[in-house]
Amino acid sequence: MEFIKRPRRLRLNSTIRDMVRETRIDVKDLIYPLFVVRGEKVKQEINSMPGVYRFSIDTLVEEVKEIYSLGIPAILLFGVPSVKDEVGSEAYADDGIVQRAIKAVKDAVPSMFVITDVCMCGYTSHGHCGIVERGYVVNDKTVELISKTALSHARAGADMVAPSDMMDGRIGAIRKLLDEKGYSNVSIMAYSAKYASAFFGPFREAAESAPKFGDRKTYQMDPANSDEAMREIKLDIEEGSDIVMVKPALSYLDIIRRAKESFNIPVAAYNVSGEYAMLKAAAKMGWLDEKAVAMEILTSIKRAGADLIITYFAKDVATWLTTR
């Protein structure tokens, strides 16, 4: 038999496969999420997320130095306060845990790009992402506090704020307030398509942010909807977002692809805690090759169209890329 076309010729060995590879993961694509708590010398592993820790500010700074030495360009900070109340006061306090952490990180590693999660669920006693009235998270009052939180992060030295609350109009409100107060260079990464996902469970342990009643389906998106995500992303872009995010990533690759094809803007994807925990558990049991599967997952996210990937595997990936 005579074949003119033999695609396998370009899969003959690792050299030619590398040469024609269409999608590559680079350490500069990665953002590493970090959890910061009050105290000293704290490095507490999160039970459902092996290899992920809560850090006090002193140990956080040492961790950030290591992260930066690996070539990872950015971190995403989440605060775990010691005191919570119904209005999430520490979220926007000048001496809040995240505000103090930002200053410490920027003092120690000035070139680290610091992104901050802007939300209230980890700071409220009820665990919801805003002000609750008669069992419902009210939108406009919450947006005022979300904007106030973003401003406090900018004042502390954050390079980018990332509102994750999914309230209507919060991007426009944040952009307006930041510009009015002289922080026009602080950028916004919007959690534009954040789904009411079951994959967030381990994160809620890490951030101590599980809702005390009900769920978040009145503000986070229905996992069944795709067109709605495009409307949310479009609104965030119109309101001034610099980067849009899809969260979670792995079960929403179609949303990432649609976002990238529909909008001329950088797209981030969050490889969330549940996705991380599933692979860690399977690898521990010997059922999956952790490195191979992690790289395959991240490659699929990048191939779908993500420019940036927020992932708890970032440190591992940075090491794997330099040792392969």
Side-chain angles (χ1 to χ4, degrees):
M1 298 178 66
E2 294 185 6
F3 298 118
I4 296 174
K5 299 292 185 180
R6 291 183 180 268
R8 288 183 59 194
R9 282 193 286 256
L10 297 184
R11 300 195 289 269
L12 183 64
N13 55 45
S14 61
T15 300
I16 189 61
R17 289 194 298 271
D18 284 346
M19 289 171 64
V20 300
R21 180 160 293 138
E22 299 171 23
T23 305
R24 300 180 190 276
I25 299 294
D26 187 272
V27 69
K28 300 301 182 185
D29 303 330
L30 307 177
I31 300 169
Y32 193 48
L34 290 166
F35 301 92
V36 59
V37 299
R38 291 193 181 271
E40 294 181 356
K41 299 180 180 179
V42 177
K43 184 178 180 182
Q44 179 185 38
E45 189 170 32
I46 297 156
N47 183 58
S48 58
M49 299 174 70
V52 178
Y53 300 84
R54 298 187 191 94
F55 296 95
S56 53
I57 290 175
D58 53 339
T59 57
L60 176 77
V61 166
E62 295 308 308
E63 180 73 3
V64 171
K65 289 177 180 177
E66 180 184 352
I67 292 165
Y68 191 73
S69 73
L70 291 170
I72 298 168
I75 58 172
L76 176 58
L77 279 179
F78 295 90
V80 184
S82 53
V83 177
K84 304 186 182 195
D85 58 33
E86 289 191 357
V87 294
S89 300
E90 191 170 326
Y92 41 87
D94 288 339
D95 64 344
I97 185 61
V98 165
Q99 290 81 352
R100 292 175 57 213
I102 296 165
K103 293 173 183 176
V105 167
K106 295 302 283 188
D107 284 345
V109 192
S111 296
M112 175 60 77
F113 195 84
V114 176
I115 309 168
T116 58
D117 179 79
V118 178
C119 197
M120 297 177 66
C121 59
Y123 300 87
T124 55
S125 53
H126 46 71
H128 279 283
C129 300
I131 302 300
V132 175
E133 294 181 357
R134 295 181 293 279
Y136 182 77
V137 177
V138 295
N139 195 93
D140 296 9
K141 290 181 181 179
T142 296
V143 167
E144 290 180 14
L145 295 185
I146 290 294
S147 301
K148 189 175 179 180
T149 301
L151 178 60
S152 73
H153 291 181
R155 283 176 171 156
D159 298 292
M160 176 181 285
V161 293
S164 62
D165 54 288
M166 287 299 288
M167 296 297 124
D168 295 339
R170 87 269 199 218
I171 302 303
I174 290 170
R175 185 71 276 159
K176 183 174 185 293
L177 184 60
L178 290 179
D179 290 352
E180 286 176 350
K181 298 299 183 180
Y183 296 98
S184 58
N185 285 336
V186 174
S187 47
I188 300 174
M189 176 168 64
Y191 287 66
S192 298
K194 182 179 181 181
Y195 286 86
S197 172
F199 283 99
F200 298 156
F203 174 91
R204 290 175 181 172
E205 178 195 347
E208 299 177 357
S209 62
K212 297 297 187 293
F213 65 89
D215 53 43
R216 294 178 178 153
K217 293 180 181 179
T218 66
Y219 43 104
Q220 295 177 358
M221 287 182 50
D222 185 340
N225 292 354
S226 174
D227 291 343
E228 182 185 13
M230 299 305 106
R231 294 195 295 271
E232 288 278 7
I233 292 169
K234 184 173 184 291
L235 282 170
D236 284 352
I237 294 170
E238 289 172 349
E239 290 179 21
S241 179
D242 301 286
I243 298 173
V244 295
M245 185 203 299
V246 176
K247 180 183 180 182
L250 191 55
S251 291
Y252 299 87
L253 297 176
D254 60 318
I255 308 301
I256 297 169
R257 170 51 59 187
R258 284 194 65 181
K260 191 60 184 175
E261 290 179 343
S262 299
F263 305 104
N264 183 27
I265 191 170
V267 176
Y270 201 143
N271 177 216
V272 299
S273 61
E275 297 165 356
Y276 174 87
M278 286 194 304
L279 177 49
K280 280 290 187 178
K284 182 178 180 180
M285 295 300 294
W287 296 337
L288 291 174
D289 180 321
E290 181 178 328
K291 175 182 176 181
V293 175
M295 290 302 295
E296 186 173 342
I297 287 170
L298 296 178
T299 299
S300 75
I301 296 168
K302 186 80 182 291
R303 190 183 66 242
D307 300 287
L308 302 169
I309 303 173
I310 303 158
T311 178
Y312 302 97
F313 284 109
K315 284 177 65 178
D316 293 323
V317 172
T319 301
W320 294 337
L321 290 175
T322 59
T323 58
R324 62 184 179 182

